Amino acid sequence: MIQISISEVQMTVTNIAGITSLLAFWAFVLGNISKWKIKIYQGAEILILIGFICLTAGIIIRGFEADRFPLANLYESTLWFAWAILGGYLLLVRQFGQNQLGWLASLLSTMFFLYGSWLPGNQQTITPLVPALVSYWRQIHVPPLIISYALFCLSGLASLLQLWYAGRLRSLALAAITITLAIGAICLGTYTSIDTAWLQLLFVGSSLVGMFLSWKSLPKIAPARVNTQKAEIYDEISRKSISIALPLLTFGVITGGLWANHAWGTYWSWDPKESMALVTWLSYAAYIHLRIHHELSAERLSIVSIIGLILTLLTYLGFNSLGFGGLHSYGRFK
């Protein structure tokens, strides 16, 4: 009789979630060029739902296998991130009924499945917790942060679509290139031995130059591409995502201070990663302020949201992969 271990079950349902995310991406892409787009979109959303359910089961099973809350290393955080991306999309598509966000959301979740699966074995294997993580604060502090990061990324993706439907194609292209270079720097820092000083320069330099050029290119409009109604919808999706994520990030920063005081005897130590979390919080607080006071157009707010996405990537993964160090260095994987 064939016996299947709990580890194999967990890996199987997690792999199913990753495969369905990839299939959903190609289904959404196919839907854009097919005359049966409505049915294909419906099928893609079913795939995302299946992936979300399987990933939920995988995370729960991993918790039982590890006999602890299943969020203690980078691999597990990528599972939570992908889970929040899929769940956030399902929540938003039900409310707004827009499918173009689906191919970006499924692509991003697939990328994080691959990112996690390519991590070193010591990140994927269940091992005893390092002393800094042996605390009830871990399950209070970390999940809201990871979920907020995922929702911020969804907001940034929606902002890319807002620029598309607003006809700001040049600005969109520059923003997309900037995000790609930032992700490329993180991946190179994760899987190669390139000097981190060069990778820091690539991330920071490309982000500053790219987003500046994207901002300056906003006046250039392609009138044939403008769809005001859809641009407004994706602007609202971006706002909605941030309005949910910012309180979660706020809660995460506050509980992080409480945990730091419990573990290290100080609420705030200006550690690079916690300082970057504060910068990210300030960027989205600025977004909310500018939106409430109507000080920027929807297109410029989209650029602010995309800048926030880049800061989120730096906070979440950049400080591990780009060698900035700090008290959170137990999260490093090289």
Side-chain angles (χ1 to χ4, degrees):
M1 182 177 179
I2 299 176
Q3 292 184 339
I4 301 177
S5 68
I6 188 172
S7 178
E8 290 174 323
V9 173
Q10 183 267 325
M11 187 59 65
T12 298
V13 294
T14 301
N15 287 339
I16 291 173
I19 292 169
T20 53
S21 291
L22 179 60
L23 292 176
F25 164 72
W26 286 113
F28 279 117
V29 171
L30 179 62
N32 284 327
I33 59 176
S34 173
K35 62 181 180 179
W36 299 293
K37 64 170 57 179
I38 300 299
K39 291 185 180 298
I40 293 176
Y41 285 154
Q42 290 173 345
E45 288 169 13
I46 291 173
L47 287 171
I48 287 183
L49 177 60
I50 292 172
F52 178 75
I53 293 171
C54 287
L55 188 51
T56 302
I59 291 172
I60 292 172
I61 293 171
R62 187 174 177 91
F64 280 111
E65 182 185 9
D67 195 26
R68 58 166 171 76
F69 189 77
L71 185 46
N73 57 32
L74 184 63
Y75 172 73
E76 291 173 355
S77 81
T78 61
L79 297 183
W80 277 82
F81 187 94
W83 176 84
I85 286 288
L86 297 176
Y89 171 76
L90 291 171
L91 176 67
L92 293 170
V93 75
R94 179 173 298 176
Q95 181 174 355
F96 294 97
Q98 295 299 310
N99 302 106
Q100 290 304 316
L101 186 60
W103 72 271
L104 289 174
S106 55
L107 175 62
L108 183 61
S109 64
T110 300
M111 289 172 61
F112 270 83
F113 278 117
L114 292 174
Y115 185 89
S117 67
W118 291 338
L119 289 173
N122 65 338
Q123 276 290 323
Q124 299 183 40
T125 303
I126 295 174
T127 56
L129 295 176
V130 297
L133 295 179
V134 182
S135 173
Y136 60 87
W137 283 109
R138 178 169 51 87
Q139 50 262 43
I140 298 173
H141 165 65
V142 184
L145 285 179
I146 299 299
I147 295 171
S148 73
Y149 295 159
L151 291 174
F152 285 142
C153 287
L154 278 177
S155 170
L157 297 179
S159 294
L160 292 173
L161 291 169
Q162 193 279 333
L163 292 176
W164 171 264
Y165 286 113
R168 269 55 172 198
L169 302 189
R170 180 175 295 186
S171 183
L172 167 64
L174 288 166
I177 292 171
T178 302
I179 293 170
T180 301
L181 290 174
I183 293 174
I186 289 172
C187 290
L188 288 172
T190 305
Y191 305 116
T192 72
S193 57
I194 296 175
D195 189 341
T196 52
W198 289 108
L199 299 178
Q200 292 171 12
L201 179 62
L202 173 61
F203 189 104
V204 176
S206 63
S207 297
L208 290 174
V209 173
M211 295 316 302
F212 173 77
L213 294 176
S214 182
W215 181 280
K216 297 295 288 186
S217 299
L218 280 174
K220 302 182 184 300
I221 304 175
R225 295 289 186 181
V226 174
N227 185 324
T228 303
Q229 181 181 8
K230 288 195 173 184
E232 291 176 352
I233 290 174
Y234 282 107
D235 176 54
E236 179 62 15
I237 291 174
S238 180
R239 182 203 67 80
K240 186 76 170 180
S241 298
I242 291 173
S243 68
I244 298 172
L246 187 57
L248 291 173
L249 178 60
T250 304
F251 181 80
V253 170
I254 292 172
T255 55
L258 294 173
W259 187 5
N261 184 62
H262 177 77
W264 299 318
T266 178
Y267 289 100
W268 194 266
S269 58
W270 296 107
D271 176 68
K273 191 159 187 172
E274 68 184 18
S275 300
M276 196 65 230
L278 178 60
V279 171
T280 303
W281 186 93
L282 290 171
S283 73
Y284 286 108
Y287 174 97
I288 295 296
H289 171 82
L290 294 169
R291 189 177 190 94
I292 290 174
H293 292 277
H294 305 285
E295 296 185 15
L296 292 180
S297 65
E299 289 70 39
R300 294 195 183 278
L301 283 172
S302 290
I303 297 295
V304 175
S305 173
I306 294 167
I307 291 172
L309 184 156
I310 293 171
L311 292 174
T312 298
L313 289 174
L314 180 58
T315 303
Y316 176 31
L317 296 174
F319 275 90
N320 282 342
S321 64
L322 300 179
F324 288 100
L327 293 174
H328 291 80
S329 60
Y330 55 76
R332 292 205 67 187
F333 35 80
K334 292 197 300 183

